[in-house]
Amino acid sequence: MRRKAGVGAIQKQKLEQEKYKDKGTEIQENQFEQMTKQMETFRVNLEEFATKHKNEIKKNARFRRQFTEMCASIGVDPLASNKGFWSVLGIGDFYYELAVQIVEVCMATNYKNGGLISLDELRTRLIQARGRRKEHQDITNEDLLAAAKKLKIFGSGFSIVSIGRGKHLVQSVPGELTMDHTAVLQQTSLSGNAYVSKSILYNDLHWEPDRAQKALDHMVKEGLAWLDKQGDDETLYWFPSLFTACIVSKE
């Protein structure tokens, strides 16, 4: 018959377990300390890199994106900091200036698109507004998204609407779009056209007639969609925020 472990053996086993636990904690603390030192070294090197390439970061969009990605990897947001070292770079100022210009374009086109504008059209109009100087041409959609996020401080008046396949709209009017409204915009974008109809929503989204009509009526009421009753078959709902670049260029 197997003998049970005595009190001394149990205590010895308990001490060994505590010893292993203490050792594990010590190893974790050492690893954390080493990681902290590495991150601090990386931060210092990043600051030196940013100082050296300040102008390149501000003028070269690709370089700027890579730089912000490096910052994000160590939890640094130079766009959110207007004090200390990062304020010297003026990167935040670049995006704040861009945000102001986004507001100006949104306000100027609100009468036409009801407060929804595609990121591509926004970029085209901004480049035109900023002039033909070389340093003003290098604006990417990523820059616009970063700048537009700053506008959230104004509340629900400004927001980003994702419509799939990496495409976005900037909403510049108060009020939240429901999931149905967003689905209509996504379906319109995916179709490759700037319009949608009730039959398209019936067939592609499998919506009931009342649901489709309610969503479309609301978007017409808010100025987000235009009615086209000239078709032989049915009424079309055009979305000026999704007009193609060739239509915009003819204005």
Side-chain angles (χ1 to χ4, degrees):
M1 184 175 178
R2 185 176 179 181
R3 295 177 60 187
K4 294 182 179 181
V7 176
I10 293 176
Q11 291 179 340
K12 182 179 180 182
Q13 184 179 12
K14 186 177 180 180
L15 289 172
E16 290 179 348
Q17 289 177 346
E18 292 178 351
K19 188 185 300 183
Y20 286 131
K21 183 178 179 180
D22 292 341
K23 190 62 178 180
T25 302
E26 181 183 348
I27 292 174
Q28 288 181 341
E29 291 176 348
N30 289 337
Q31 290 178 338
F32 180 76
E33 184 179 355
Q34 291 176 4
M35 186 179 298
T36 301
K37 290 180 179 179
Q38 290 175 352
M39 296 300 287
E40 178 62 20
T41 300
F42 185 35
R43 186 187 66 80
V44 172
N45 291 336
L46 185 62
E47 290 182 357
E48 294 177 354
F49 174 87
T51 302
K52 182 178 180 180
H53 300 283
K54 175 181 177 180
N55 293 330
E56 188 71 11
I57 292 171
K58 294 178 66 175
K59 294 181 180 180
N60 188 313
R62 182 179 179 183
F63 202 83
R64 185 165 54 250
R65 185 182 71 251
Q66 294 172 342
F67 173 73
T68 54
E69 287 174 353
M70 284 194 298
C71 289
S73 69
I74 60 170
V76 173
D77 184 6
L79 308 186
S81 179
N82 285 321
K83 298 180 180 180
F85 166 77
W86 298 106
S87 64
V88 177
L89 291 178
I91 299 174
D93 293 338
F94 168 84
Y95 284 100
Y96 286 119
E97 176 188 349
L98 197 56
V100 171
Q101 293 171 344
I102 288 175
V103 173
E104 292 174 348
V105 171
C106 288
M107 295 293 289
T109 58
N110 184 281
Y111 74 96
K112 184 192 77 169
N113 55 36
L116 276 180
I117 185 171
S118 70
L119 220 56
D120 291 333
E121 181 183 352
L122 181 59
R123 180 175 178 272
T124 298
R125 290 181 178 274
L126 275 173
I127 289 176
Q128 293 173 349
R130 288 165 69 92
R132 295 295 179 181
R133 289 183 295 175
K134 183 177 180 181
E135 64 270 22
H136 282 166
Q137 296 303 300
D138 211 2
I139 306 173
T140 66
N141 284 358
E142 288 79 10
D143 288 330
L144 296 181
L145 286 174
K149 289 177 181 178
K150 297 295 179 184
L151 298 174
K152 288 184 178 180
I153 61 174
F154 296 115
S156 61
F158 286 90
S159 59
I160 305 297
V161 180
S162 175
I163 54 175
R165 295 184 179 179
K167 296 182 179 181
H168 299 82
L169 299 174
V170 176
Q171 180 183 358
S172 57
V173 291
E176 296 289 339
L177 292 177
T178 67
M179 293 181 65
D180 280 2
H181 302 149
T182 302
V184 171
L185 291 169
Q186 290 175 340
Q187 184 60 40
T188 307
S189 175
L190 292 175
S191 69
N193 301 309
Y195 67 84
V196 74
S197 65
K198 285 186 288 186
S199 65
I200 292 176
L201 298 181
Y202 302 159
N203 297 327
D204 294 349
L205 299 182
H206 308 294
W207 283 4
E208 294 296 327
D210 289 346
R211 182 180 182 182
Q213 190 65 63
K214 182 179 179 180
L216 291 171
D217 286 347
H218 175 82
M219 301 183 90
V220 171
K221 179 183 177 182
E222 295 298 320
L224 305 178
W226 294 351
L227 279 177
D228 179 6
K229 297 183 178 181
Q230 299 181 39
D232 296 331
D233 300 325
E234 62 178 331
T235 300
L236 299 180
Y237 296 80
W238 289 83
F239 291 86
S241 57
L242 298 175
F243 282 171
T244 59
C246 63
I247 296 178
V248 174
S249 64
K250 293 179 181 179
E251 292 183 350

